[in-house]
Coordinates of all heavy atoms in Angstrom, one line a residue:
G1 N 47.3 240.5 81.9 CA 45.9 240.8 81.7 C 45.5 242.1 82.3 O 46.2 242.6 83.3
S2 N 44.4 242.7 81.9 CA 44.0 243.9 82.5 C 42.9 243.6 83.6 O 42.2 242.6 83.6 CB 43.4 244.8 81.5 OG 42.2 244.3 80.9
M3 N 42.8 244.5 84.5 CA 41.8 244.3 85.6 C 40.5 244.9 85.2 O 40.4 246.0 84.7 CB 42.3 245.0 86.9 CG 41.4 245.0 88.0 SD 42.1 245.9 89.4 CE 40.9 245.8 90.6
V4 N 39.4 244.1 85.4 CA 38.1 244.6 85.0 C 37.6 245.5 86.2 O 37.7 245.1 87.3 CB 37.1 243.4 84.8 CG1 35.7 243.9 84.5 CG2 37.6 242.6 83.7
V5 N 37.1 246.7 85.8 CA 36.6 247.6 86.8 C 35.1 247.5 87.0 O 34.4 247.7 86.0 CB 37.0 249.1 86.4 CG1 36.5 250.1 87.4 CG2 38.5 249.2 86.3
D6 N 34.7 247.2 88.2 CA 33.2 247.1 88.5 C 32.7 248.5 88.7 O 33.1 249.2 89.6 CB 33.0 246.3 89.7 CG 31.6 246.2 90.1 OD1 30.7 246.3 89.3 OD2 31.3 245.9 91.3
M7 N 31.7 248.9 87.9 CA 31.2 250.3 87.9 C 30.5 250.6 89.2 O 30.6 251.7 89.7 CB 30.3 250.6 86.7 CG 31.0 250.6 85.4 SD 32.3 251.9 85.4 CE 33.1 251.5 83.9
A8 N 29.8 249.7 89.8 CA 29.1 249.9 91.1 C 30.1 250.2 92.2 O 30.0 251.1 93.0 CB 28.2 248.8 91.5
S9 N 31.2 249.4 92.3 CA 32.2 249.6 93.3 C 33.0 250.9 93.1 O 33.3 251.6 94.0 CB 33.3 248.4 93.2 OG 32.7 247.2 93.6
T10 N 33.2 251.2 91.8 CA 33.8 252.5 91.5 C 33.0 253.7 91.9 O 33.5 254.6 92.5 CB 34.1 252.6 90.0 OG1 35.0 251.5 89.6 CG2 34.8 253.9 89.6
A11 N 31.7 253.6 91.7 CA 30.8 254.7 92.1 C 30.8 254.8 93.7 O 30.8 255.9 94.2 CB 29.4 254.4 91.7
W12 N 30.8 253.7 94.4 CA 30.8 253.7 95.8 C 32.1 254.4 96.3 O 32.1 255.2 97.3 CB 30.6 252.4 96.4 CG 30.8 252.3 97.9 CD1 31.7 251.7 98.7 CD2 29.9 253.0 98.9 NE1 31.5 251.9 100.0 CE2 30.4 252.7 100.2 CE3 28.8 253.8 98.7 CZ2 29.8 253.2 101.3 CZ3 28.2 254.3 99.9 CH2 28.7 254.0 101.1
I13 N 33.3 254.0 95.7 CA 34.5 254.6 96.1 C 34.5 256.1 95.9 O 35.0 256.9 96.6 CB 35.7 253.9 95.4 CG1 35.9 252.5 95.8 CG2 37.0 254.7 95.5 CD1 36.3 252.4 97.3
L14 N 33.9 256.5 94.7 CA 33.9 258.0 94.4 C 33.0 258.7 95.5 O 33.3 259.8 95.8 CB 33.4 258.2 93.0 CG 34.4 257.8 91.9 CD1 33.7 257.9 90.5 CD2 35.6 258.6 92.0
V15 N 31.9 258.1 95.9 CA 31.1 258.7 96.9 C 31.9 258.9 98.2 O 31.8 259.9 98.9 CB 29.8 257.9 97.1 CG1 29.1 258.3 98.4 CG2 28.9 258.0 95.9
C16 N 32.6 257.8 98.6 CA 33.4 257.8 99.8 C 34.5 258.9 99.7 O 34.7 259.6 100.7 CB 34.0 256.5 100.1 SG 32.8 255.2 100.5
M17 N 35.1 259.0 98.5 CA 36.1 260.0 98.3 C 35.6 261.4 98.4 O 36.2 262.3 99.1 CB 36.8 259.8 96.9 CG 37.9 260.7 96.7 SD 38.0 261.4 95.0 CE 36.4 261.9 94.6
A18 N 34.4 261.6 97.9 CA 33.8 262.9 98.0 C 33.5 263.3 99.4 O 33.7 264.5 99.8 CB 32.5 263.0 97.2
L19 N 33.0 262.4 100.2 CA 32.8 262.6 101.7 C 34.1 263.0 102.4 O 34.1 263.9 103.2 CB 32.1 261.5 102.3 CG 30.7 261.2 101.8 CD1 30.1 259.9 102.4 CD2 29.8 262.4 102.2
V20 N 35.2 262.3 102.1 CA 36.4 262.6 102.7 C 36.9 264.0 102.3 O 37.5 264.8 103.1 CB 37.5 261.5 102.4 CG1 38.9 261.9 102.8 CG2 37.1 260.2 103.0
Q21 N 36.7 264.3 101.0 CA 37.1 265.6 100.5 C 36.3 266.7 101.2 O 36.9 267.8 101.4 CB 36.9 265.7 99.0 CG 37.7 264.7 98.1 CD 39.2 265.0 98.2 OE1 39.6 266.1 98.3 NE2 40.0 264.0 98.1
L22 N 35.1 266.5 101.5 CA 34.3 267.5 102.3 C 34.8 267.6 103.7 O 34.5 268.7 104.3 CB 32.8 267.1 102.2 CG 32.1 267.3 100.9 CD1 30.7 266.7 101.0 CD2 32.1 268.7 100.5
M23 N 35.4 266.6 104.3 CA 35.9 266.7 105.6 C 37.2 267.6 105.7 O 37.5 268.1 106.8 CB 36.3 265.3 106.2 CG 35.1 264.5 106.5 SD 35.4 262.9 107.3 CE 37.0 262.4 106.7
T24 N 37.9 267.7 104.6 CA 39.2 268.5 104.7 C 39.0 269.9 105.1 O 39.8 270.4 106.0 CB 39.9 268.4 103.3 OG1 40.0 267.0 103.0 CG2 41.2 269.1 103.3
P25 N 38.0 270.7 104.6 CA 37.9 272.1 105.1 C 37.6 272.1 106.6 O 38.1 273.0 107.3 CB 36.7 272.6 104.3 CG 36.7 271.8 103.1 CD 37.1 270.5 103.5
G26 N 36.8 271.2 107.1 CA 36.5 271.1 108.5 C 37.7 270.8 109.4 O 38.0 271.4 110.4
L27 N 38.6 269.9 108.9 CA 39.8 269.6 109.5 C 40.7 270.8 109.5 O 41.4 271.2 110.5 CB 40.5 268.4 108.9 CG 41.8 267.9 109.5 CD1 41.5 267.4 110.9 CD2 42.4 266.9 108.7
A28 N 40.8 271.5 108.4 CA 41.6 272.7 108.3 C 41.1 273.8 109.3 O 42.0 274.5 109.9 CB 41.5 273.3 106.8
F29 N 39.8 274.0 109.4 CA 39.3 275.0 110.3 C 39.6 274.6 111.8 O 39.9 275.4 112.6 CB 37.8 275.2 110.2 CG 37.5 276.1 109.0 CD1 36.7 275.6 108.0 CD2 38.0 277.4 108.9 CE1 36.4 276.4 106.9 CE2 37.7 278.2 107.9 CZ 36.9 277.8 106.8
F30 N 39.5 273.3 112.1 CA 39.8 272.8 113.4 C 41.3 273.1 113.8 O 41.6 273.6 114.8 CB 39.5 271.3 113.5 CG 40.0 270.7 114.8 CD1 39.3 270.9 116.0 CD2 41.1 269.9 114.8 CE1 39.7 270.4 117.2 CE2 41.6 269.3 116.0 CZ 40.9 269.6 117.2
Y31 N 42.2 272.7 112.9 CA 43.6 273.0 113.1 C 43.9 274.4 113.2 O 44.7 274.9 113.9 CB 44.5 272.3 112.0 CG 44.6 270.8 112.2 CD1 44.8 270.0 111.1 CD2 44.6 270.2 113.4 CE1 44.9 268.6 111.2 CE2 44.7 268.8 113.6 CZ 44.9 268.0 112.4 OH 45.0 266.7 112.6
G32 N 43.2 275.2 112.3 CA 43.4 276.7 112.4 C 43.0 277.3 113.7 O 43.5 278.3 114.1
G33 N 42.0 276.7 114.4 CA 41.5 277.2 115.7 C 42.5 276.8 116.8 O 42.4 277.4 117.9
L34 N 43.4 275.9 116.5 CA 44.4 275.5 117.6 C 45.6 276.4 117.6 O 46.5 276.3 118.5 CB 44.8 274.1 117.4 CG 43.7 273.0 117.5 CD1 44.2 271.7 117.2 CD2 43.1 273.1 118.9
V35 N 45.8 277.3 116.6 CA 47.0 278.0 116.5 C 46.7 279.5 116.7 O 45.6 279.9 116.7 CB 47.8 277.8 115.2 CG1 48.2 276.3 115.1 CG2 46.9 278.1 114.0
S36 N 47.8 280.3 116.7 CA 47.6 281.8 116.8 C 47.0 282.3 115.6 O 47.1 281.7 114.5 CB 48.9 282.5 117.2 OG 49.8 282.3 116.1
S37 N 46.4 283.5 115.6 CA 45.7 284.1 114.5 C 46.7 284.4 113.3 O 46.2 284.4 112.1 CB 45.0 285.4 114.9 OG 46.0 286.3 115.3
T38 N 47.9 284.5 113.5 CA 48.9 284.7 112.4 C 49.2 283.5 111.7 O 49.8 283.5 110.6 CB 50.2 285.4 113.0 OG1 50.8 284.5 114.0 CG2 49.9 286.8 113.6
S39 N 48.9 282.3 112.3 CA 49.2 281.0 111.7 C 48.1 280.3 111.1 O 48.2 279.1 110.6 CB 49.9 280.1 112.7 OG 51.1 280.7 113.2
V40 N 46.9 280.8 111.1 CA 45.7 280.2 110.6 C 45.8 279.7 109.1 O 45.5 278.6 108.8 CB 44.4 281.0 110.9 CG1 43.2 280.4 110.2 CG2 44.2 281.2 112.4
I41 N 46.2 280.7 108.3 CA 46.2 280.4 106.9 C 47.3 279.3 106.6 O 47.1 278.4 105.8 CB 46.5 281.7 106.1 CG1 45.4 282.7 106.2 CG2 46.8 281.4 104.6 CD1 44.1 282.2 105.7
T42 N 48.4 279.3 107.3 CA 49.5 278.4 107.1 C 48.9 276.9 107.5 O 49.2 276.0 106.7 CB 50.7 278.7 108.0 OG1 51.1 280.0 107.7 CG2 51.8 277.7 107.9
M43 N 48.2 276.8 108.6 CA 47.7 275.5 109.0 C 46.6 275.0 108.0 O 46.6 273.9 107.7 CB 47.0 275.6 110.4 CG 48.1 275.8 111.5 SD 49.3 274.4 111.5 CE 48.2 273.0 111.8
M44 N 45.8 275.9 107.5 CA 44.8 275.5 106.5 C 45.4 275.1 105.2 O 45.0 274.1 104.6 CB 43.8 276.7 106.3 CG 42.9 277.0 107.5 SD 41.8 278.3 107.3 CE 40.6 277.5 106.3
M45 N 46.4 275.8 104.8 CA 47.1 275.4 103.5 C 47.8 274.1 103.7 O 47.8 273.3 102.7 CB 48.1 276.5 103.1 CG 47.4 277.8 102.6 SD 46.3 277.5 101.2 CE 47.4 276.8 100.0
Q46 N 48.3 273.8 104.9 CA 49.0 272.5 105.1 C 48.0 271.3 104.9 O 48.3 270.3 104.3 CB 49.6 272.4 106.5 CG 50.9 273.2 106.6 CD 51.4 273.2 108.0 OE1 51.0 272.4 108.8 NE2 52.4 274.0 108.2
S47 N 46.7 271.5 105.3 CA 45.7 270.5 105.1 C 45.4 270.3 103.7 O 45.3 269.2 103.2 CB 44.4 270.9 105.9 OG 44.7 270.9 107.3
F48 N 45.2 271.4 102.9 CA 44.9 271.3 101.5 C 46.0 270.8 100.7 O 45.9 270.0 99.7 CB 44.4 272.6 101.0 CG 43.0 272.9 101.4 CD1 42.7 273.8 102.5 CD2 41.9 272.3 100.9 CE1 41.5 274.0 102.9 CE2 40.6 272.5 101.3 CZ 40.4 273.4 102.3
V49 N 47.3 271.2 101.0 CA 48.4 270.6 100.3 C 48.6 269.2 100.5 O 48.9 268.4 99.6 CB 49.7 271.5 100.6 CG1 51.0 270.8 100.1 CG2 49.6 272.9 100.1
A50 N 48.4 268.7 101.8 CA 48.5 267.3 102.1 C 47.5 266.5 101.3 O 47.8 265.4 100.8 CB 48.4 267.1 103.6
M51 N 46.3 267.0 101.2 CA 45.3 266.3 100.4 C 45.7 266.2 99.0 O 45.5 265.1 98.4 CB 43.9 267.1 100.5 CG 42.8 266.4 99.7 SD 41.2 267.3 99.9 CE 41.6 268.8 99.1
G52 N 46.3 267.2 98.4 CA 46.8 267.1 97.0 C 47.9 266.1 96.8 O 47.9 265.3 95.9
I53 N 48.8 266.1 97.8 CA 49.9 265.2 97.7 C 49.5 263.8 97.8 O 49.9 262.8 97.1 CB 51.0 265.5 98.8 CG1 51.7 266.8 98.4 CG2 52.0 264.4 98.9 CD1 52.6 267.4 99.5
I54 N 48.5 263.5 98.7 CA 48.0 262.2 98.9 C 47.2 261.7 97.7 O 47.3 260.5 97.3 CB 47.1 262.1 100.2 CG1 48.0 262.3 101.4 CG2 46.4 260.8 100.3 CD1 49.1 261.4 101.6
S55 N 46.5 262.6 97.1 CA 45.8 262.2 95.8 C 46.7 261.8 94.7 O 46.5 260.8 94.0 CB 45.0 263.4 95.3 OG 44.0 263.8 96.3
I56 N 47.8 262.5 94.6 CA 48.8 262.1 93.6 C 49.5 260.8 93.9 O 49.6 259.9 93.1 CB 49.9 263.2 93.5 CG1 49.3 264.5 92.8 CG2 51.1 262.8 92.6 CD1 50.1 265.7 92.9
L57 N 49.8 260.6 95.2 CA 50.4 259.3 95.6 C 49.4 258.1 95.4 O 49.8 257.0 95.0 CB 50.8 259.3 97.1 CG 52.1 260.1 97.4 CD1 52.3 260.2 98.9 CD2 53.3 259.5 96.7
W58 N 48.1 258.3 95.6 CA 47.2 257.3 95.4 C 47.1 256.9 93.9 O 47.1 255.7 93.5 CB 45.8 257.7 95.8 CG 44.7 256.7 95.4 CD1 43.8 256.8 94.4 CD2 44.4 255.5 96.1 NE1 43.0 255.7 94.3 CE2 43.4 254.9 95.3 CE3 44.9 254.8 97.2 CZ2 42.8 253.7 95.7 CZ3 44.4 253.6 97.5 CH2 43.4 253.0 96.8
Y59 N 47.2 257.9 93.0 CA 47.2 257.7 91.6 C 48.4 256.9 91.2 O 48.4 256.0 90.4 CB 47.1 259.0 90.8 CG 47.2 258.8 89.3 CD1 46.1 258.4 88.6 CD2 48.4 259.1 88.7 CE1 46.2 258.3 87.2 CE2 48.5 258.9 87.3 CZ 47.3 258.5 86.6 OH 47.4 258.4 85.2
V60 N 49.6 257.3 91.7 CA 50.9 256.7 91.3 C 51.0 255.3 91.8 O 51.3 254.4 91.0 CB 52.0 257.6 91.6 CG1 53.4 257.0 91.3 CG2 51.9 259.0 90.9
V61 N 50.9 255.1 93.1 CA 51.2 253.8 93.7 C 50.1 253.2 94.7 O 50.1 252.0 94.9 CB 52.6 253.7 94.4 CG1 53.7 253.9 93.4 CG2 52.6 254.7 95.5
G62 N 49.3 254.1 95.2 CA 48.4 253.6 96.2 C 47.4 252.6 95.8 O 47.1 251.6 96.5
F63 N 46.8 252.8 94.6 CA 45.9 251.8 94.0 C 46.5 250.4 93.9 O 45.9 249.4 94.3 CB 45.4 252.3 92.7 CG 44.3 251.4 92.1 CD1 43.0 251.6 92.4 CD2 44.6 250.4 91.2 CE1 42.0 250.8 91.9 CE2 43.6 249.6 90.7 CZ 42.3 249.8 91.0
S64 N 47.8 250.4 93.4 CA 48.5 249.1 93.3 C 48.7 248.5 94.7 O 48.7 247.3 94.8 CB 49.8 249.3 92.5 OG 49.5 249.5 91.2
F65 N 49.1 249.3 95.7 CA 49.3 248.7 97.0 C 48.0 248.0 97.5 O 48.1 247.1 98.2 CB 49.7 249.8 98.0 CG 51.1 250.1 98.1 CD1 51.6 251.4 98.1 CD2 52.0 249.1 98.3 CE1 53.0 251.6 98.2 CE2 53.4 249.3 98.3 CZ 53.9 250.6 98.3
C66 N 46.8 248.6 97.2 CA 45.6 248.0 97.6 C 45.1 246.8 96.7 O 44.6 245.8 97.2 CB 44.5 249.0 97.7 SG 44.8 250.3 99.0
F67 N 45.2 247.0 95.4 CA 44.6 246.0 94.5 C 45.6 245.3 93.6 O 45.1 244.5 92.7 CB 43.5 246.8 93.6 CG 42.5 247.4 94.5 CD1 42.4 248.8 94.6 CD2 41.6 246.7 95.2 CE1 41.5 249.5 95.3 CE2 40.6 247.3 96.0 CZ 40.6 248.7 96.1
G68 N 46.8 245.5 93.7 CA 47.8 244.9 92.8 C 48.0 243.4 93.2 O 47.5 242.9 94.2
S69 N 48.8 242.7 92.4 CA 49.1 241.3 92.7 C 49.8 241.2 94.0 O 50.6 242.1 94.4 CB 50.0 240.7 91.6 OG 51.2 241.5 91.5
S70 N 49.4 240.2 94.8 CA 49.8 240.1 96.2 C 51.3 239.9 96.4 O 51.9 239.1 95.7 CB 49.1 238.9 96.8 OG 49.4 238.8 98.2
L71 N 51.8 240.6 97.3 CA 53.2 240.5 97.8 C 53.1 240.2 99.3 O 53.9 240.7 100.1 CB 54.1 241.7 97.6 CG 54.4 242.0 96.2 CD1 55.2 243.3 96.1 CD2 55.2 240.9 95.5
G72 N 52.2 239.4 99.7 CA 51.9 239.2 101.2 C 50.8 240.1 101.6 O 49.7 240.0 101.1
F73 N 51.1 241.0 102.6 CA 50.0 241.9 103.1 C 49.7 243.0 102.1 O 48.6 243.4 102.0 CB 50.5 242.5 104.4 CG 49.5 243.3 105.1 CD1 48.4 242.7 105.7 CD2 49.5 244.6 105.1 CE1 47.4 243.4 106.3 CE2 48.6 245.4 105.7 CZ 47.5 244.8 106.3
F74 N 50.7 243.5 101.4 CA 50.5 244.6 100.4 C 50.5 244.1 99.0 O 51.0 243.0 98.7 CB 51.7 245.6 100.5 CG 51.7 246.4 101.8 CD1 52.6 246.1 102.8 CD2 50.8 247.3 102.1 CE1 52.7 246.7 104.0 CE2 50.8 248.0 103.4 CZ 51.7 247.7 104.3
G75 N 49.9 244.9 98.1 CA 50.0 244.6 96.7 C 51.3 245.1 96.1 O 52.0 245.9 96.7
N76 N 51.6 244.6 94.9 CA 52.8 245.0 94.2 C 52.6 246.4 93.6 O 51.6 246.6 92.9 CB 53.0 244.0 93.0 CG 54.3 244.4 92.2 OD1 54.9 245.4 92.5 ND2 54.6 243.5 91.3
P77 N 53.4 247.4 94.0 CA 53.1 248.8 93.6 C 53.3 249.0 92.1 O 52.9 250.0 91.6 CB 54.2 249.6 94.4 CG 55.2 248.6 94.9 CD 54.5 247.3 95.0
G78 N 53.9 248.0 91.4 CA 54.1 248.2 90.0 C 53.0 247.6 89.1 O 53.0 247.8 87.9
T79 N 52.1 246.9 89.7 CA 51.0 246.2 89.0 C 50.2 247.2 88.2 O 50.0 247.1 87.0 CB 50.1 245.4 89.9 OG1 51.0 244.5 90.6 CG2 49.1 244.6 89.1
Y80 N 49.6 248.2 88.9 CA 48.8 249.2 88.3 C 49.3 250.6 88.5 O 48.6 251.6 88.7 CB 47.4 249.1 88.8 CG 46.7 247.8 88.7 CD1 46.4 247.0 89.8 CD2 46.4 247.3 87.4 CE1 45.8 245.8 89.6 CE2 45.8 246.1 87.2 CZ 45.5 245.3 88.3 OH 44.9 244.1 88.2
A81 N 50.7 250.7 88.5 CA 51.3 252.1 88.7 C 50.7 253.1 87.7 O 50.7 252.8 86.5 CB 52.8 252.0 88.6
G82 N 50.3 254.2 88.2 CA 49.7 255.2 87.4 C 48.4 254.8 86.7 O 48.1 255.3 85.6
M83 N 47.7 253.8 87.3 CA 46.5 253.3 86.8 C 46.7 252.5 85.4 O 45.7 252.3 84.7 CB 45.4 254.4 86.6 CG 45.1 255.1 87.9 SD 44.3 254.0 89.1 CE 44.1 255.1 90.4
R84 N 47.9 252.1 85.2 CA 48.2 251.4 84.0 C 47.5 250.0 84.0 O 47.6 249.3 85.1 CB 49.7 251.2 83.9 CG 50.2 250.4 82.7 CD 51.7 250.2 82.8 NE 52.0 249.4 84.0 CZ 53.0 249.6 84.8 NH1 53.8 250.6 84.6 NH2 53.2 248.8 85.8
G85 N 47.0 249.5 83.0 CA 46.4 248.2 82.9 C 45.0 248.1 83.4 O 44.4 247.0 83.4
L86 N 44.3 249.2 83.7 CA 42.9 249.1 84.1 C 42.0 249.3 82.8 O 42.3 250.1 81.9 CB 42.6 250.2 85.1 CG 43.3 250.1 86.4 CD1 42.9 251.3 87.3 CD2 42.9 248.8 87.1
N87 N 40.9 248.6 82.8 CA 40.0 248.7 81.6 C 38.6 248.7 82.1 O 38.1 247.7 82.6 CB 40.3 247.5 80.6 CG 39.6 247.7 79.3 OD1 38.8 248.6 79.1 ND2 39.9 246.8 78.4
A88 N 37.9 249.8 81.9 CA 36.5 249.9 82.3 C 35.5 249.3 81.2 O 34.4 249.2 81.5 CB 36.1 251.3 82.6
A89 N 36.0 249.0 80.0 CA 35.2 248.5 78.9 C 34.8 247.1 79.0 O 33.9 246.6 78.4 CB 35.8 248.9 77.6
E90 N 35.6 246.3 79.8 CA 35.4 244.9 79.9 C 34.3 244.5 80.9 O 34.1 245.1 81.8 CB 36.6 244.1 80.2 CG 37.7 244.2 79.1 CD 38.9 243.5 79.5 OE1 39.0 242.8 80.5 OE2 39.9 243.6 78.7

């Protein structure tokens, strides 16, 4: 069966995600301030690249680890891999 998506919970998760996304530039500037002036751009890019990689990992398997069928403490990473089986219309 497909998982029914609650729109209110989804909206709250999106608000939280937006707040975390807004923290990334601040973190990048903080890390940039800890290194020499020649390494600032490198440190900032590492923060933004890490954010992109984590976003892709969440889409591929992270959602299933949190909300998939139970395998003890973690969810089954194959349950909703790539957001497969989710249905917002129900």
Side-chain angles (χ1 to χ4, degrees):
S2 65
M3 178 180 178
V4 177
V5 178
D6 177 25
M7 292 300 170
S9 295
T10 302
W12 176 245
I13 291 294
L14 290 174
V15 167
C16 293
M17 182 219 45
L19 292 172
V20 169
Q21 298 292 328
L22 288 173
M23 289 187 326
T24 303
L27 184 67
F29 282 120
F30 173 73
Y31 285 149
L34 296 176
V35 296
S36 66
S37 61
T38 58
S39 301
V40 172
I41 297 297
T42 302
M43 288 303 297
M44 292 179 75
M45 287 306 297
Q46 286 178 11
S47 293
F48 285 102
V49 168
M51 181 177 66
I53 291 170
I54 296 302
S55 298
I56 292 168
L57 285 173
W58 173 258
Y59 176 79
V60 174
V61 294
F63 185 85
S64 288
F65 271 132
C66 293
F67 303 109
S69 58
S70 180
L71 291 177
F73 186 73
F74 295 106
N76 182 355
T79 305
Y80 301 115
M83 303 292 177
R84 176 187 67 221
L86 296 179
N87 190 355
E90 293 180 9

